[in-house]
């Protein structure tokens, strides 16, 4: 998730259009609530950052499905 309270002043004024991000989150994460993670896409959209956001039926960790999805994203974009 993105905590806007810790970002550097003026971040929103910079050009972020060259960035691409893969963002994922566990639907049952007991450490970082999924409600925090779902605030990320609007922030990235506002900054003009291309992204993929996916949720997985897991807790606080990377499931096999999550790993393969991230790997596929990396192979597609880089």
């Amino acid at each position: 998730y993105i905590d806007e309270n810790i970002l550097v002043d003026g971040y929103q004024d910079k050009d972020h259009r060259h960035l691409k991000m893969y963002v994922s989150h566990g639907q049952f994460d007991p450490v970082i609530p999924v409600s925090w993670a779902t605030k990320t896409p609007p922030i990235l959209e506002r900054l003009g950052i291309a992204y993929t956001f996916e949720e997985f039926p897991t807790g606080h960790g990377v499931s096999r499905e999550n790993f393969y999805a991230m790997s596929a994203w990396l192979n597609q974009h880089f």
Side-chain angles (χ1 to χ4, degrees), residues 17-54:
R17 292 175 295 171
H18 64 285
L19 298 175
K20 297 175 187 162
M21 295 182 75
Y22 178 81
V23 183
S24 63
H25 200 84
Q27 294 169 328
F28 308 110
D29 189 335
V31 179
I32 301 171
V34 71
S35 62
W36 293 7
T38 58
K39 294 177 183 178
T40 299
I43 295 169
L44 297 176
E45 288 173 12
R46 191 172 68 242
L47 295 173
I49 297 173
Y51 71 92
T52 295
F53 177 84
E54 297 182 299

